[in-house]
Amino acid sequence: MVVPLKSSRDQTISSLASPLLPPSEDPTWEEEEEETVAPGSDPEKLCIDDMLQKYCGEFGSWQLRHFVLTSLAWALEAFHTMVMIFADREPDWRCVNRPGSGCDQSAKTVCGLQRGSWEWIGGPGTSTVAQWGLVCGEKYKIGLVQALFFGGCMIGAGIFGHLSDSKLGRRGSLRLVCILNTIFGCLTAFAPDYFTYLLLRLLTGFSTGGVGLCAFVLATEPVGPTKRGAAGMSTFYFFSTGIALLSGIAYIFGSWRGLYIASSIPSFLFLVLVIPFISESPRWYLVRGKMDSAMKLMRTIAKSNGRHLPNGVILALDEEANKTSDGNETCKVETVTKEAIAGSIIDVLRSPITRIRLFLAAAINFLCSVVYYGLSLNVVNLETNLYLNVLLNAVAEIPAFTITAVLLDKFGRKPLAVGTLFFSGIFCFVGCFVGNVGIWKVVRMICGILGIFGMAGTYNLLFIYTTELFPTVVRNAALGCATQAAQMGAILAPFVVVMGGALPFAVFGVCGITGGILAYYLPETLNRPLYDTMTGMEEGESVGIAVLK
């Protein structure tokens, strides 16, 4: 949907004076409507959450359609992120039947075997490892290319987090990252050498870092406060589904070059077929001063949900809100045209409240990412069926999301974050003490699946938790900073995996337990407002503290 730019104040007031629905034959409705728009009467001024709850609907047909379309972008992120598991894998090998080759098929690796005495099953085009001989002394290059991808994600998360909060907007940023992902992903398939491949993966990571960030905020901001938690948790079903689909795509495309093209084309399809039907966030319109566009979108939401937004209702920022005698929240604004309110990560660091929250959120995201991506990439060390293992890990994440979503509003964000981090950490420690021979291979694989089960729930929860800890004006910037910290953890994960043996599970266990301890110091955000501005949040939190005292 194309939303018009801000018009003049006269045009806005004129549009507010025009009824969206024909007059009803019910005389009671007519009296109420006439009273609402009576000359000289003050309009009802509500913040977005209150307008969604009172008039537009918190999660109706409009939000459902918008949520599904926007969240499809998570599958794209899964494709570009997890493709490395298959493209950079070490394929099976076999001895060449030549007299005097000296090749021993029982050897665990090809290191030490005479050159030409063995060959890769499927040929050198099977993976980048086979293509450029990234084994033995060159094995670190696998971890390097994967780490640089996450490094690109870290940079992209910060840049696109800022762009989506500023002039580009959530929808514009999502469109841009899809364009870049399509270009860089397809070019990767034609990389002539390792260093070109390294550069293109870095650039793909840069654009991928903004996909989930923009999609999550864009999908959840138009949702009402009581439905936002469950909706936010549900976004990650699309990521796990993307991983599961990728395992099937990788099984079909035996060449790593063909796999990169197959995993990049969906970004182009999303750009052409889906984004035109996605709307910008009404909260972004509001903080950018586009009050008429925000009101038009809220009326569209109400109409699509079968609700009616009266003419005398106007949006306003939460920092302008006050309480009326009946307990409803109204706002002290005089006009519908406001100047844009800007915010940055500097504002987050200046405030004592958000500064501590940012530090804790960044640290927990870092530790969580080490475990999540570490366990995902560590499947190459388990010596089991790679495609099946990736599929099982993806399937294990789905019930984790469901359970966390069900318990989210019952127990709160903080207890769930602590519990899921501890759960994952404990099973990682168990996997550390289990051998990798015989039946113990299966036991270690199960420990990895349960570890990723707990961490998937945490990773999902952290997106919701982080967005609720910060106001709209800096929400994407703060989430981008936390995502950057997560990408730093993801950068470390491939190097931990390359070490092999029991060490990766030990590192993952320590990270999980430490993250649970840090999560204990975060405030609970259950049933707390989703603030729009720094001032609104500081005033609201001070009132909350006073009430508790």
Side-chain angles (χ1 to χ4, degrees):
M1 182 184 68
V2 179
V3 181
L5 297 175
K6 181 170 68 175
S7 61
S8 66
R9 182 185 176 194
D10 292 339
Q11 290 173 322
T12 304
I13 296 175
S14 176
S15 66
L16 291 175
S18 303
L20 287 177
L21 299 178
S24 170
E25 296 180 358
D26 184 356
T28 304
W29 186 92
E30 290 179 351
E31 292 175 1
E32 292 177 353
E33 183 66 18
E34 289 176 1
E35 184 178 350
T36 301
V37 297
S41 62
D42 294 330
E44 183 180 10
K45 298 150 188 168
L46 297 175
C47 301
I48 285 183
D49 279 351
D50 299 291
M51 187 175 287
L52 288 170
Q53 287 182 307
K54 190 172 182 179
Y55 294 112
C56 301
E58 294 191 72
F59 196 80
S61 60
W62 189 94
Q63 284 100 334
L64 177 61
R65 178 187 63 83
H66 185 263
F67 172 82
V68 171
L69 291 177
T70 306
S71 297
L72 287 173
W74 279 100
L76 307 179
E77 179 168 343
F79 288 168
H80 291 287
T81 302
M82 297 303 178
V83 68
M84 66 180 70
I85 296 177
F86 304 100
D88 299 337
R89 68 187 177 89
E90 183 175 330
D92 295 330
W93 57 276
R94 62 191 171 201
C95 291
V96 178
N97 188 16
R98 295 176 183 170
S101 64
C103 180
D104 183 6
Q105 191 65 56
S106 63
K108 288 187 174 294
T109 68
V110 297
C111 300
L113 297 181
Q114 183 180 351
R115 184 183 297 273
S117 64
W118 58 274
E119 63 182 4
W120 297 111
I121 298 177
T126 305
S127 73
T128 58
V129 172
Q131 185 83 62
W132 297 306
L134 307 181
V135 291
C136 305
E138 301 290 309
K139 192 174 183 179
Y140 75 93
K141 291 184 177 180
I142 304 172
L144 179 60
V145 70
Q146 295 174 352
L148 282 182
F149 171 84
F150 289 118
C153 289
M154 181 182 68
I155 299 171
I159 292 177
F160 287 108
H162 173 72
L163 289 176
S164 61
D165 277 336
S166 57
K167 294 183 179 180
L168 201 55
R170 281 81 159 115
R171 183 172 178 264
S173 298
L174 187 59
R175 180 189 294 112
L176 179 57
V177 295
C178 285
I179 294 172
L180 295 177
N181 267 347
T182 303
I183 296 172
F184 296 142
C186 289
L187 287 177
T188 304
F190 300 97
D193 52 56
Y194 170 79
F195 291 104
T196 304
Y197 176 71
L198 191 72
L199 175 62
L200 288 170
R201 285 301 287 166
L202 173 66
L203 294 174
T204 305
F206 170 76
S207 54
T208 302
V211 175
L213 179 73
C214 299
F216 182 85
V217 175
L218 187 56
T220 55
E221 282 193 335
V223 178
T226 64
K227 308 295 183 183
R228 191 178 299 119
M233 295 296 289
S234 300
T235 59
F236 292 88
Y237 287 118
F238 295 86
F239 187 82
S240 299
T241 302
I243 298 176
L245 290 174
L246 181 63
S247 64
I249 295 172
Y251 185 80
I252 296 173
F253 291 88
S255 166
W256 69 271
R257 296 184 186 275
L259 178 58
Y260 268 111
I261 294 177
S263 60
S264 300
I265 292 300
S267 293
F268 175 76
L269 297 177
F270 182 86
L271 179 68
V272 175
L273 301 178
V274 178
I275 286 186
F277 300 97
I278 294 177
S279 300
E280 182 55 83
S281 167
R283 296 181 187 275
W284 182 81
Y285 280 139
L286 183 61
V287 299
R288 296 299 298 177
K290 300 176 182 292
M291 202 68 69
D292 54 341
S293 296
M295 282 302 304
K296 183 172 182 178
L297 181 55
M298 295 301 287
R299 292 184 183 280
T300 299
I301 293 173
K303 185 176 181 180
S304 298
N305 291 344
R307 308 283 289 270
H308 174 62
L309 181 60
N311 296 326
V313 180
I314 299 175
L315 277 174
L317 297 168
D318 52 14
E319 71 174 12
E320 301 161 322
N322 65 330
K323 294 289 183 179
T324 60
S325 58
D326 62 358
N328 292 328
E329 194 174 71
T330 62
C331 304
K332 303 178 290 185
V333 296
E334 300 298 331
T335 65
V336 295
T337 302
K338 302 284 292 180
E339 292 184 1
I341 298 178
S344 68
I345 201 66
I346 302 299
D347 299 308
V348 177
L349 295 174
R350 283 174 180 168
S351 171
I353 296 176
T354 54
R355 182 168 59 241
I356 296 174
R357 293 181 178 184
L358 183 64
F359 169 77
L360 290 173
I364 296 169
N365 271 273
F366 172 83
L367 296 169
C368 178
S369 189
V370 171
V371 182
Y372 179 79
Y373 286 108
L375 288 172
S376 297
L377 298 175
N378 197 53
V379 293
V380 298
N381 291 329
L382 298 181
E383 299 180 12
T384 54
N385 186 286
L386 181 63
Y387 303 98
L388 178 61
N389 209 328
V390 172
L391 177 63
L392 290 176
N393 280 353
V395 171
E397 295 179 12
I398 294 177
F401 300 152
T402 304
I403 293 172
T404 312
V406 170
L407 302 179
L408 185 65
D409 291 331
K410 183 176 182 180
F411 295 103
R413 282 62 164 152
K414 180 177 176 178
L416 278 182
V418 174
T420 52
L421 283 162
F422 279 157
F423 181 91
S424 180
I426 289 171
F427 277 101
C428 286
F429 271 127
V430 174
C432 169
F433 296 105
V434 173
N436 202 30
V437 293
I439 189 63
W440 297 111
K441 288 184 180 180
V442 179
V443 175
R444 178 174 280 190
M445 182 182 74
I446 293 174
C447 287
I449 292 174
L450 292 175
I452 209 166
F453 171 87
M455 198 53 65
T458 309
Y459 211 88
N460 189 2
L461 172 62
L462 283 178
F463 262 81
I464 298 170
Y465 209 170
T466 305
T467 56
E468 292 179 344
L469 288 171
F470 302 94
T472 301
V473 71
V474 294
R475 182 168 298 124
N476 258 26
L479 184 58
C481 188
T483 304
Q484 283 182 301
Q487 300 305 339
M488 291 179 66
I491 291 171
L492 178 63
F495 293 109
V496 176
V497 171
V498 168
M499 295 177 183
L503 183 60
F505 275 100
V507 173
F508 303 152
V510 171
C511 289
I513 298 298
T514 304
I517 295 173
L518 292 177
Y520 177 78
Y521 294 97
L522 280 173
E524 180 58 71
T525 58
L526 178 63
N527 296 326
R528 297 293 298 161
L530 196 64
Y531 298 103
D532 289 322
T533 64
M534 295 291 292
T535 303
M537 187 200 68
E538 290 172 355
E539 292 177 354
E541 291 298 309
S542 63
V543 171
I545 293 173
V547 171
L548 289 176
K549 290 181 178 180

